[in-house]
Amino acid sequence: MVPDRDQASDVTQEAFFSAFRNLAGFRGGSVKSWLNRIAVNAAMDIQRARKRRPVQPYPELEDESWQPPAAEDADPVHTALTFERSHALNAALASITDDQRTAIVLFDVEGYDYAEIASMTAVSLGTVKSRIHRGRLALRDKLVNQMDLFRG
């Protein structure tokens, strides 16, 4: 739901702090759904803040040609293809709406069902289905010229 590992760490930390601060407000039910709702909100808050203040503190790290050294047994073609796929998919995910990205990540990556996503995002079941469908269509449009990366 966020574009890099550092932001994911920040979201996780903020989600657990928020859960701890609001533990008294927990009204029972599924702790998993409650924590996921807090985590989704934290991720969306960070994305909104990033749009308001798009600052890169280390511009020299924007160069995506740097990659960590591969293991000795790693296939360079596989490594390069995985990087290109990841880059294309992350760029496409970043270009769709936050609501669509949230629904797609929760469904396709995290494996939640429609009802759980509806509960976590506080929208109706039909809205979740619609966001996933429209998000997938938008992703397909963004990736149509790069489909060779994802075949084979």
Side-chain angles (χ1 to χ4, degrees), residues 1-2 7-22 30-48 98 101-103 105-106 110 112 116-117 119-122:
M1 293 182 60
V2 292
Q7 283 186 0
S9 295
D10 290 345
V11 166
T12 304
Q13 184 175 354
E14 184 56 38
F16 279 108
F17 281 147
S18 180
F20 181 74
R21 283 190 305 266
N22 297 307
S30 172
V31 173
K32 180 179 175 183
S33 293
W34 181 66
L35 285 173
N36 280 318
R37 173 73 182 169
I38 291 171
V40 166
N41 286 341
M44 293 175 75
D45 288 345
I46 283 186
Q47 290 295 79
R48 281 191 289 268
D98 291 342
R101 181 175 44 258
T102 299
V105 168
L106 289 174
E110 299 297 329
Y112 292 103
E116 290 173 316
I117 297 169
S119 173
M120 283 186 257
T121 57

mmCIF file of all heavy atoms in Angstrom, residues 1-2 7-22 30-48 98 101-103 105-106 110 112 116-117 119-122:
data_model
loop_
_atom_site.group_PDB
_atom_site.id
_atom_site.type_symbol
_atom_site.label_atom_id
_atom_site.label_comp_id
_atom_site.label_asym_id
_atom_site.label_seq_id
_atom_site.Cartn_x
_atom_site.Cartn_y
_atom_site.Cartn_z
ATOM 1 N N MET A 1 0.810 -1.199 0.000
ATOM 2 C CA MET A 1 0.000 0.000 0.000
ATOM 3 C C MET A 1 0.853 1.263 0.000
ATOM 4 O O MET A 1 0.334 2.316 -0.301
ATOM 5 C CB MET A 1 -0.939 0.001 1.197
ATOM 6 C CG MET A 1 -1.991 -1.096 1.121
ATOM 7 S SD MET A 1 -3.133 -1.060 2.480
ATOM 8 C CE MET A 1 -3.825 0.550 2.251
ATOM 9 N N VAL A 2 2.115 1.129 0.376
ATOM 10 C CA VAL A 2 3.039 2.258 0.310
ATOM 11 C C VAL A 2 4.217 1.848 -0.575
ATOM 12 O O VAL A 2 4.524 0.665 -0.688
ATOM 13 C CB VAL A 2 3.527 2.700 1.712
ATOM 14 C CG1 VAL A 2 2.390 3.294 2.511
ATOM 15 C CG2 VAL A 2 4.151 1.563 2.479
ATOM 16 N N GLN A 7 8.698 3.533 4.314
ATOM 17 C CA GLN A 7 7.343 4.002 4.603
ATOM 18 C C GLN A 7 6.504 2.883 5.218
ATOM 19 O O GLN A 7 5.682 3.135 6.097
ATOM 20 C CB GLN A 7 6.671 4.538 3.352
ATOM 21 C CG GLN A 7 7.150 5.904 2.965
ATOM 22 C CD GLN A 7 6.364 6.483 1.800
ATOM 23 O OE1 GLN A 7 5.457 5.868 1.276
ATOM 24 N NE2 GLN A 7 6.739 7.678 1.397
ATOM 25 N N ALA A 8 6.716 1.655 4.767
ATOM 26 C CA ALA A 8 5.989 0.523 5.349
ATOM 27 C C ALA A 8 6.344 0.369 6.822
ATOM 28 O O ALA A 8 5.471 0.092 7.657
ATOM 29 C CB ALA A 8 6.300 -0.755 4.575
ATOM 30 N N SER A 9 7.610 0.549 7.158
ATOM 31 C CA SER A 9 8.027 0.489 8.565
ATOM 32 C C SER A 9 7.375 1.606 9.372
ATOM 33 O O SER A 9 6.915 1.393 10.496
ATOM 34 C CB SER A 9 9.545 0.598 8.675
ATOM 35 O OG SER A 9 10.165 -0.503 8.088
ATOM 36 N N ASP A 10 7.328 2.810 8.798
ATOM 37 C CA ASP A 10 6.683 3.931 9.474
ATOM 38 C C ASP A 10 5.194 3.656 9.698
ATOM 39 O O ASP A 10 4.651 3.949 10.767
ATOM 40 C CB ASP A 10 6.846 5.218 8.662
ATOM 41 C CG ASP A 10 8.275 5.729 8.650
ATOM 42 O OD1 ASP A 10 9.092 5.262 9.478
ATOM 43 O OD2 ASP A 10 8.585 6.586 7.786
ATOM 44 N N VAL A 11 4.535 3.099 8.677
ATOM 45 C CA VAL A 11 3.109 2.783 8.791
ATOM 46 C C VAL A 11 2.886 1.744 9.892
ATOM 47 O O VAL A 11 1.986 1.881 10.720
ATOM 48 C CB VAL A 11 2.550 2.272 7.442
ATOM 49 C CG1 VAL A 11 1.191 1.616 7.626
ATOM 50 C CG2 VAL A 11 2.453 3.402 6.440
ATOM 51 N N THR A 12 3.713 0.726 9.914
ATOM 52 C CA THR A 12 3.574 -0.323 10.927
ATOM 53 C C THR A 12 3.744 0.250 12.325
ATOM 54 O O THR A 12 2.946 -0.024 13.233
ATOM 55 C CB THR A 12 4.611 -1.441 10.686
ATOM 56 O OG1 THR A 12 4.447 -1.942 9.365
ATOM 57 C CG2 THR A 12 4.455 -2.561 11.686
ATOM 58 N N GLN A 13 4.774 1.060 12.492
ATOM 59 C CA GLN A 13 5.017 1.660 13.801
ATOM 60 C C GLN A 13 3.868 2.561 14.210
ATOM 61 O O GLN A 13 3.382 2.489 15.341
ATOM 62 C CB GLN A 13 6.327 2.445 13.766
ATOM 63 C CG GLN A 13 6.709 3.031 15.106
ATOM 64 C CD GLN A 13 8.076 3.703 15.069
ATOM 65 O OE1 GLN A 13 8.784 3.641 14.074
ATOM 66 N NE2 GLN A 13 8.435 4.337 16.143
ATOM 67 N N GLU A 14 3.406 3.393 13.297
ATOM 68 C CA GLU A 14 2.305 4.298 13.607
ATOM 69 C C GLU A 14 1.021 3.524 13.919
ATOM 70 O O GLU A 14 0.268 3.893 14.819
ATOM 71 C CB GLU A 14 2.064 5.269 12.447
ATOM 72 C CG GLU A 14 1.011 6.307 12.724
ATOM 73 C CD GLU A 14 1.270 7.143 13.971
ATOM 74 O OE1 GLU A 14 2.438 7.479 14.241
ATOM 75 O OE2 GLU A 14 0.304 7.457 14.689
ATOM 76 N N ALA A 15 0.788 2.432 13.200
ATOM 77 C CA ALA A 15 -0.411 1.621 13.428
ATOM 78 C C ALA A 15 -0.388 1.022 14.833
ATOM 79 O O ALA A 15 -1.411 1.041 15.542
ATOM 80 C CB ALA A 15 -0.527 0.528 12.377
ATOM 81 N N PHE A 16 0.742 0.495 15.254
ATOM 82 C CA PHE A 16 0.801 -0.096 16.585
ATOM 83 C C PHE A 16 0.734 0.960 17.681
ATOM 84 O O PHE A 16 0.117 0.733 18.732
ATOM 85 C CB PHE A 16 2.034 -0.993 16.736
ATOM 86 C CG PHE A 16 1.823 -2.356 16.139
ATOM 87 C CD1 PHE A 16 2.451 -2.710 14.966
ATOM 88 C CD2 PHE A 16 0.976 -3.265 16.747
ATOM 89 C CE1 PHE A 16 2.247 -3.965 14.411
ATOM 90 C CE2 PHE A 16 0.764 -4.522 16.210
ATOM 91 C CZ PHE A 16 1.406 -4.870 15.036
ATOM 92 N N PHE A 17 1.341 2.119 17.464
ATOM 93 C CA PHE A 17 1.201 3.203 18.446
ATOM 94 C C PHE A 17 -0.254 3.626 18.561
ATOM 95 O O PHE A 17 -0.777 3.824 19.648
ATOM 96 C CB PHE A 17 2.060 4.410 18.065
ATOM 97 C CG PHE A 17 3.512 4.273 18.397
ATOM 98 C CD1 PHE A 17 4.469 4.853 17.581
ATOM 99 C CD2 PHE A 17 3.948 3.574 19.508
ATOM 100 C CE1 PHE A 17 5.818 4.728 17.867
ATOM 101 C CE2 PHE A 17 5.291 3.451 19.806
ATOM 102 C CZ PHE A 17 6.230 4.032 18.979
ATOM 103 N N SER A 18 -0.907 3.762 17.420
ATOM 104 C CA SER A 18 -2.311 4.164 17.411
ATOM 105 C C SER A 18 -3.179 3.109 18.090
ATOM 106 O O SER A 18 -4.082 3.446 18.858
ATOM 107 C CB SER A 18 -2.776 4.383 15.974
ATOM 108 O OG SER A 18 -4.113 4.772 15.944
ATOM 109 N N ALA A 19 -2.911 1.845 17.832
ATOM 110 C CA ALA A 19 -3.676 0.773 18.471
ATOM 111 C C ALA A 19 -3.483 0.817 19.988
ATOM 112 O O ALA A 19 -4.448 0.668 20.752
ATOM 113 C CB ALA A 19 -3.250 -0.581 17.912
ATOM 114 N N PHE A 20 -2.251 1.028 20.423
ATOM 115 C CA PHE A 20 -1.976 1.094 21.863
ATOM 116 C C PHE A 20 -2.701 2.279 22.503
ATOM 117 O O PHE A 20 -3.321 2.145 23.556
ATOM 118 C CB PHE A 20 -0.474 1.188 22.105
ATOM 119 C CG PHE A 20 -0.114 1.224 23.559
ATOM 120 C CD1 PHE A 20 -0.185 0.087 24.349
ATOM 121 C CD2 PHE A 20 0.288 2.416 24.144
ATOM 122 C CE1 PHE A 20 0.147 0.124 25.691
ATOM 123 C CE2 PHE A 20 0.621 2.465 25.483
ATOM 124 C CZ PHE A 20 0.545 1.321 26.258
ATOM 125 N N ARG A 21 -2.618 3.439 21.824
ATOM 126 C CA ARG A 21 -3.272 4.638 22.367
ATOM 127 C C ARG A 21 -4.786 4.465 22.440
ATOM 128 O O ARG A 21 -5.437 5.025 23.319
ATOM 129 C CB ARG A 21 -2.941 5.855 21.509
ATOM 130 C CG ARG A 21 -1.564 6.425 21.730
ATOM 131 C CD ARG A 21 -1.398 7.778 21.034
ATOM 132 N NE ARG A 21 -1.695 7.740 19.619
ATOM 133 C CZ ARG A 21 -0.805 7.557 18.643
ATOM 134 N NH1 ARG A 21 0.465 7.408 18.942
ATOM 135 N NH2 ARG A 21 -1.170 7.545 17.383
ATOM 136 N N ASN A 22 -5.370 3.726 21.501
ATOM 137 C CA ASN A 22 -6.822 3.597 21.413
ATOM 138 C C ASN A 22 -7.337 2.246 21.893
ATOM 139 O O ASN A 22 -8.447 1.858 21.552
ATOM 140 C CB ASN A 22 -7.267 3.837 19.961
ATOM 141 C CG ASN A 22 -6.954 5.236 19.511
ATOM 142 O OD1 ASN A 22 -7.336 6.186 20.174
ATOM 143 N ND2 ASN A 22 -6.240 5.372 18.415
ATOM 144 N N SER A 30 -13.288 -8.811 16.253
ATOM 145 C CA SER A 30 -12.042 -9.334 15.715
ATOM 146 C C SER A 30 -10.900 -8.325 15.893
ATOM 147 O O SER A 30 -10.940 -7.226 15.354
ATOM 148 C CB SER A 30 -12.207 -9.652 14.227
ATOM 149 O OG SER A 30 -10.970 -9.981 13.655
ATOM 150 N N VAL A 31 -9.885 -8.723 16.640
ATOM 151 C CA VAL A 31 -8.713 -7.873 16.835
ATOM 152 C C VAL A 31 -7.988 -7.705 15.503
ATOM 153 O O VAL A 31 -7.476 -6.628 15.189
ATOM 154 C CB VAL A 31 -7.766 -8.475 17.902
ATOM 155 C CG1 VAL A 31 -6.470 -7.686 17.991
ATOM 156 C CG2 VAL A 31 -8.456 -8.521 19.238
ATOM 157 N N LYS A 32 -7.961 -8.768 14.714
ATOM 158 C CA LYS A 32 -7.292 -8.731 13.412
ATOM 159 C C LYS A 32 -7.905 -7.646 12.517
ATOM 160 O O LYS A 32 -7.192 -6.835 11.929
ATOM 161 C CB LYS A 32 -7.393 -10.102 12.744
ATOM 162 C CG LYS A 32 -6.733 -10.190 11.407
ATOM 163 C CD LYS A 32 -6.884 -11.605 10.837
ATOM 164 C CE LYS A 32 -6.328 -11.694 9.446
ATOM 165 N NZ LYS A 32 -6.539 -13.032 8.866
ATOM 166 N N SER A 33 -9.222 -7.624 12.427
ATOM 167 C CA SER A 33 -9.894 -6.612 11.606
ATOM 168 C C SER A 33 -9.656 -5.214 12.158
ATOM 169 O O SER A 33 -9.448 -4.261 11.397
ATOM 170 C CB SER A 33 -11.391 -6.885 11.531
ATOM 171 O OG SER A 33 -11.627 -8.061 10.816
ATOM 172 N N TRP A 34 -9.699 -5.081 13.484
ATOM 173 C CA TRP A 34 -9.473 -3.783 14.114
ATOM 174 C C TRP A 34 -8.069 -3.271 13.812
ATOM 175 O O TRP A 34 -7.888 -2.128 13.416
ATOM 176 C CB TRP A 34 -9.700 -3.926 15.618
ATOM 177 C CG TRP A 34 -9.538 -2.675 16.415
ATOM 178 C CD1 TRP A 34 -10.311 -1.553 16.376
ATOM 179 C CD2 TRP A 34 -8.521 -2.423 17.394
ATOM 180 N NE1 TRP A 34 -9.841 -0.626 17.276
ATOM 181 C CE2 TRP A 34 -8.742 -1.123 17.916
ATOM 182 C CE3 TRP A 34 -7.459 -3.158 17.889
ATOM 183 C CZ2 TRP A 34 -7.945 -0.567 18.886
ATOM 184 C CZ3 TRP A 34 -6.673 -2.603 18.868
ATOM 185 C CH2 TRP A 34 -6.907 -1.321 19.363
ATOM 186 N N LEU A 35 -7.059 -4.133 13.979
ATOM 187 C CA LEU A 35 -5.681 -3.734 13.691
ATOM 188 C C LEU A 35 -5.474 -3.445 12.204
ATOM 189 O O LEU A 35 -4.755 -2.510 11.835
ATOM 190 C CB LEU A 35 -4.702 -4.808 14.152
ATOM 191 C CG LEU A 35 -4.473 -4.900 15.651
ATOM 192 C CD1 LEU A 35 -3.608 -6.105 15.983
ATOM 193 C CD2 LEU A 35 -3.843 -3.632 16.180
ATOM 194 N N ASN A 36 -6.097 -4.250 11.345
ATOM 195 C CA ASN A 36 -5.971 -4.008 9.903
ATOM 196 C C ASN A 36 -6.590 -2.681 9.508
ATOM 197 O O ASN A 36 -6.054 -1.971 8.660
ATOM 198 C CB ASN A 36 -6.589 -5.148 9.099
ATOM 199 C CG ASN A 36 -5.665 -6.324 9.010
ATOM 200 O OD1 ASN A 36 -4.474 -6.164 8.809
ATOM 201 N ND2 ASN A 36 -6.209 -7.515 9.163
ATOM 202 N N ARG A 37 -7.703 -2.357 10.110
ATOM 203 C CA ARG A 37 -8.346 -1.072 9.838
ATOM 204 C C ARG A 37 -7.407 0.076 10.245
ATOM 205 O O ARG A 37 -7.234 1.041 9.513
ATOM 206 C CB ARG A 37 -9.663 -0.986 10.618
ATOM 207 C CG ARG A 37 -10.341 0.342 10.550
ATOM 208 C CD ARG A 37 -10.948 0.579 9.225
ATOM 209 N NE ARG A 37 -11.536 1.913 9.238
ATOM 210 C CZ ARG A 37 -11.970 2.521 8.204
ATOM 211 N NH1 ARG A 37 -11.912 1.929 7.041
ATOM 212 N NH2 ARG A 37 -12.472 3.716 8.276
ATOM 213 N N ILE A 38 -6.785 -0.045 11.388
ATOM 214 C CA ILE A 38 -5.843 0.976 11.854
ATOM 215 C C ILE A 38 -4.659 1.065 10.901
ATOM 216 O O ILE A 38 -4.210 2.155 10.531
ATOM 217 C CB ILE A 38 -5.380 0.669 13.298
ATOM 218 C CG1 ILE A 38 -6.548 0.862 14.271
ATOM 219 C CG2 ILE A 38 -4.200 1.549 13.694
ATOM 220 C CD1 ILE A 38 -6.262 0.386 15.680
ATOM 221 N N ALA A 39 -4.143 -0.081 10.457
ATOM 222 C CA ALA A 39 -2.991 -0.094 9.544
ATOM 223 C C ALA A 39 -3.352 0.510 8.189
ATOM 224 O O ALA A 39 -2.564 1.276 7.614
ATOM 225 C CB ALA A 39 -2.475 -1.525 9.364
ATOM 226 N N VAL A 40 -4.526 0.184 7.667
ATOM 227 C CA VAL A 40 -4.962 0.761 6.387
ATOM 228 C C VAL A 40 -5.083 2.275 6.520
ATOM 229 O O VAL A 40 -4.632 3.030 5.644
ATOM 230 C CB VAL A 40 -6.308 0.131 5.937
ATOM 231 C CG1 VAL A 40 -6.940 0.935 4.819
ATOM 232 C CG2 VAL A 40 -6.088 -1.303 5.505
ATOM 233 N N ASN A 41 -5.671 2.734 7.617
ATOM 234 C CA ASN A 41 -5.796 4.182 7.827
ATOM 235 C C ASN A 41 -4.427 4.845 7.933
ATOM 236 O O ASN A 41 -4.211 5.931 7.382
ATOM 237 C CB ASN A 41 -6.613 4.476 9.078
ATOM 238 C CG ASN A 41 -8.084 4.219 8.866
ATOM 239 O OD1 ASN A 41 -8.570 4.162 7.747
ATOM 240 N ND2 ASN A 41 -8.818 4.029 9.951
ATOM 241 N N ALA A 42 -3.495 4.206 8.622
ATOM 242 C CA ALA A 42 -2.148 4.771 8.752
ATOM 243 C C ALA A 42 -1.474 4.861 7.383
ATOM 244 O O ALA A 42 -0.815 5.858 7.074
ATOM 245 C CB ALA A 42 -1.308 3.927 9.713
ATOM 246 N N ALA A 43 -1.626 3.832 6.565
ATOM 247 C CA ALA A 43 -1.035 3.850 5.218
ATOM 248 C C ALA A 43 -1.643 4.957 4.376
ATOM 249 O O ALA A 43 -0.926 5.681 3.665
ATOM 250 C CB ALA A 43 -1.227 2.500 4.540
ATOM 251 N N MET A 44 -2.943 5.084 4.449
ATOM 252 C CA MET A 44 -3.603 6.141 3.661
ATOM 253 C C MET A 44 -3.205 7.533 4.166
ATOM 254 O O MET A 44 -3.013 8.451 3.366
ATOM 255 C CB MET A 44 -5.110 5.938 3.682
ATOM 256 C CG MET A 44 -5.517 4.660 2.932
ATOM 257 S SD MET A 44 -7.256 4.283 3.038
ATOM 258 C CE MET A 44 -7.935 5.485 1.924
ATOM 259 N N ASP A 45 -3.052 7.682 5.480
ATOM 260 C CA ASP A 45 -2.622 8.964 6.040
ATOM 261 C C ASP A 45 -1.227 9.339 5.529
ATOM 262 O O ASP A 45 -0.974 10.488 5.161
ATOM 263 C CB ASP A 45 -2.605 8.920 7.565
ATOM 264 C CG ASP A 45 -3.997 8.894 8.165
ATOM 265 O OD1 ASP A 45 -4.966 9.195 7.433
ATOM 266 O OD2 ASP A 45 -4.119 8.568 9.360
ATOM 267 N N ILE A 46 -0.324 8.375 5.506
ATOM 268 C CA ILE A 46 1.039 8.652 5.025
ATOM 269 C C ILE A 46 1.023 9.003 3.544
ATOM 270 O O ILE A 46 1.736 9.906 3.107
ATOM 271 C CB ILE A 46 1.974 7.465 5.331
ATOM 272 C CG1 ILE A 46 2.352 7.502 6.802
ATOM 273 C CG2 ILE A 46 3.204 7.476 4.451
ATOM 274 C CD1 ILE A 46 3.377 6.502 7.243
ATOM 275 N N GLN A 47 0.198 8.313 2.760
ATOM 276 C CA GLN A 47 0.116 8.620 1.326
ATOM 277 C C GLN A 47 -0.429 10.031 1.109
ATOM 278 O O GLN A 47 0.069 10.767 0.265
ATOM 279 C CB GLN A 47 -0.770 7.598 0.603
ATOM 280 C CG GLN A 47 -0.157 6.225 0.502
ATOM 281 C CD GLN A 47 1.085 6.222 -0.366
ATOM 282 O OE1 GLN A 47 2.173 6.609 0.060
ATOM 283 N NE2 GLN A 47 0.925 5.800 -1.579
ATOM 284 N N ARG A 48 -1.454 10.399 1.884
ATOM 285 C CA ARG A 48 -2.009 11.758 1.756
ATOM 286 C C ARG A 48 -0.963 12.800 2.158
ATOM 287 O O ARG A 48 -0.803 13.826 1.504
ATOM 288 C CB ARG A 48 -3.264 11.896 2.604
ATOM 289 C CG ARG A 48 -4.498 11.293 1.973
ATOM 290 C CD ARG A 48 -5.755 11.689 2.734
ATOM 291 N NE ARG A 48 -5.837 11.036 4.028
ATOM 292 C CZ ARG A 48 -6.439 9.886 4.257
ATOM 293 N NH1 ARG A 48 -7.033 9.254 3.272
ATOM 294 N NH2 ARG A 48 -6.478 9.368 5.470
ATOM 295 N N ASP A 98 -5.926 5.948 -4.522
ATOM 296 C CA ASP A 98 -5.581 5.326 -3.241
ATOM 297 C C ASP A 98 -6.600 4.257 -2.846
ATOM 298 O O ASP A 98 -6.229 3.201 -2.340
ATOM 299 C CB ASP A 98 -5.501 6.376 -2.130
ATOM 300 C CG ASP A 98 -4.314 7.302 -2.288
ATOM 301 O OD1 ASP A 98 -3.373 6.947 -3.019
ATOM 302 O OD2 ASP A 98 -4.344 8.389 -1.673
ATOM 303 N N ARG A 101 -6.038 1.164 -5.039
ATOM 304 C CA ARG A 101 -4.795 0.497 -4.645
ATOM 305 C C ARG A 101 -4.987 -0.255 -3.323
ATOM 306 O O ARG A 101 -4.563 -1.398 -3.178
ATOM 307 C CB ARG A 101 -3.655 1.506 -4.517
ATOM 308 C CG ARG A 101 -2.326 0.882 -4.126
ATOM 309 C CD ARG A 101 -1.146 1.846 -4.109
ATOM 310 N NE ARG A 101 -1.411 3.123 -3.487
ATOM 311 C CZ ARG A 101 -1.649 4.267 -4.145
ATOM 312 N NH1 ARG A 101 -1.622 4.308 -5.452
ATOM 313 N NH2 ARG A 101 -1.883 5.380 -3.485
ATOM 314 N N THR A 102 -5.649 0.373 -2.368
ATOM 315 C CA THR A 102 -5.897 -0.267 -1.077
ATOM 316 C C THR A 102 -6.694 -1.552 -1.259
ATOM 317 O O THR A 102 -6.324 -2.596 -0.726
ATOM 318 C CB THR A 102 -6.655 0.697 -0.136
ATOM 319 O OG1 THR A 102 -5.860 1.854 0.075
ATOM 320 C CG2 THR A 102 -6.976 0.033 1.186
ATOM 321 N N ALA A 103 -7.769 -1.484 -2.025
ATOM 322 C CA ALA A 103 -8.614 -2.659 -2.234
ATOM 323 C C ALA A 103 -7.850 -3.772 -2.952
ATOM 324 O O ALA A 103 -7.938 -4.951 -2.573
ATOM 325 C CB ALA A 103 -9.863 -2.271 -3.030
ATOM 326 N N VAL A 105 -4.526 -4.284 -3.116
ATOM 327 C CA VAL A 105 -3.470 -4.844 -2.266
ATOM 328 C C VAL A 105 -4.060 -5.751 -1.189
ATOM 329 O O VAL A 105 -3.563 -6.855 -0.956
ATOM 330 C CB VAL A 105 -2.606 -3.726 -1.642
ATOM 331 C CG1 VAL A 105 -1.703 -4.270 -0.552
ATOM 332 C CG2 VAL A 105 -1.784 -3.034 -2.716
ATOM 333 N N LEU A 106 -5.135 -5.314 -0.560
ATOM 334 C CA LEU A 106 -5.747 -6.140 0.480
ATOM 335 C C LEU A 106 -6.306 -7.439 -0.093
ATOM 336 O O LEU A 106 -6.209 -8.496 0.539
ATOM 337 C CB LEU A 106 -6.853 -5.369 1.205
ATOM 338 C CG LEU A 106 -6.385 -4.238 2.114
ATOM 339 C CD1 LEU A 106 -7.577 -3.458 2.653
ATOM 340 C CD2 LEU A 106 -5.551 -4.778 3.258
ATOM 341 N N GLU A 110 -2.648 -9.404 0.085
ATOM 342 C CA GLU A 110 -2.835 -9.852 1.461
ATOM 343 C C GLU A 110 -3.814 -11.015 1.583
ATOM 344 O O GLU A 110 -3.812 -11.712 2.586
ATOM 345 C CB GLU A 110 -3.288 -8.692 2.346
ATOM 346 C CG GLU A 110 -2.292 -7.545 2.425
ATOM 347 C CD GLU A 110 -0.970 -7.950 3.056
ATOM 348 O OE1 GLU A 110 -0.970 -8.839 3.923
ATOM 349 O OE2 GLU A 110 0.059 -7.387 2.667
ATOM 350 N N TYR A 112 -7.262 -11.009 1.722
ATOM 351 C CA TYR A 112 -8.521 -10.818 2.440
ATOM 352 C C TYR A 112 -9.688 -10.985 1.478
ATOM 353 O O TYR A 112 -9.564 -10.729 0.284
ATOM 354 C CB TYR A 112 -8.577 -9.426 3.082
ATOM 355 C CG TYR A 112 -7.592 -9.259 4.204
ATOM 356 C CD1 TYR A 112 -6.414 -8.547 4.024
ATOM 357 C CD2 TYR A 112 -7.834 -9.827 5.442
ATOM 358 C CE1 TYR A 112 -5.502 -8.408 5.056
ATOM 359 C CE2 TYR A 112 -6.926 -9.690 6.483
ATOM 360 C CZ TYR A 112 -5.777 -8.981 6.273
ATOM 361 O OH TYR A 112 -4.875 -8.851 7.290
ATOM 362 N N GLU A 116 -14.159 -8.785 4.501
ATOM 363 C CA GLU A 116 -13.134 -8.282 5.420
ATOM 364 C C GLU A 116 -12.618 -6.917 4.953
ATOM 365 O O GLU A 116 -12.406 -6.018 5.768
ATOM 366 C CB GLU A 116 -11.962 -9.265 5.499
ATOM 367 C CG GLU A 116 -12.280 -10.554 6.214
ATOM 368 C CD GLU A 116 -11.153 -11.566 6.138
ATOM 369 O OE1 GLU A 116 -10.571 -11.743 5.050
ATOM 370 O OE2 GLU A 116 -10.857 -12.171 7.178
ATOM 371 N N ILE A 117 -12.435 -6.766 3.657
ATOM 372 C CA ILE A 117 -11.967 -5.479 3.123
ATOM 373 C C ILE A 117 -13.013 -4.405 3.355
ATOM 374 O O ILE A 117 -12.684 -3.273 3.738
ATOM 375 C CB ILE A 117 -11.611 -5.608 1.629
ATOM 376 C CG1 ILE A 117 -10.453 -6.589 1.442
ATOM 377 C CG2 ILE A 117 -11.252 -4.246 1.036
ATOM 378 C CD1 ILE A 117 -10.199 -6.976 0.000
ATOM 379 N N SER A 119 -15.140 -4.269 5.741
ATOM 380 C CA SER A 119 -15.092 -3.936 7.162
ATOM 381 C C SER A 119 -13.889 -3.055 7.487
ATOM 382 O O SER A 119 -14.005 -2.071 8.216
ATOM 383 C CB SER A 119 -15.035 -5.227 7.984
ATOM 384 O OG SER A 119 -14.820 -4.941 9.333
ATOM 385 N N MET A 120 -12.726 -3.402 6.939
ATOM 386 C CA MET A 120 -11.502 -2.641 7.229
ATOM 387 C C MET A 120 -11.546 -1.227 6.669
ATOM 388 O O MET A 120 -11.004 -0.305 7.272
ATOM 389 C CB MET A 120 -10.284 -3.356 6.636
ATOM 390 C CG MET A 120 -9.834 -4.540 7.416
ATOM 391 S SD MET A 120 -8.319 -5.190 6.719
ATOM 392 C CE MET A 120 -8.935 -6.588 5.851
ATOM 393 N N THR A 121 -12.161 -1.064 5.504
ATOM 394 C CA THR A 121 -12.161 0.243 4.848
ATOM 395 C C THR A 121 -13.450 1.024 5.077
ATOM 396 O O THR A 121 -13.589 2.137 4.589
ATOM 397 C CB THR A 121 -11.912 0.087 3.334
ATOM 398 O OG1 THR A 121 -12.912 -0.771 2.773
ATOM 399 C CG2 THR A 121 -10.532 -0.468 3.067
ATOM 400 N N ALA A 122 -14.391 0.422 5.793
ATOM 401 C CA ALA A 122 -15.662 1.065 6.149
ATOM 402 C C ALA A 122 -16.453 1.504 4.924
ATOM 403 O O ALA A 122 -16.973 2.611 4.866
ATOM 404 C CB ALA A 122 -15.426 2.237 7.103
#
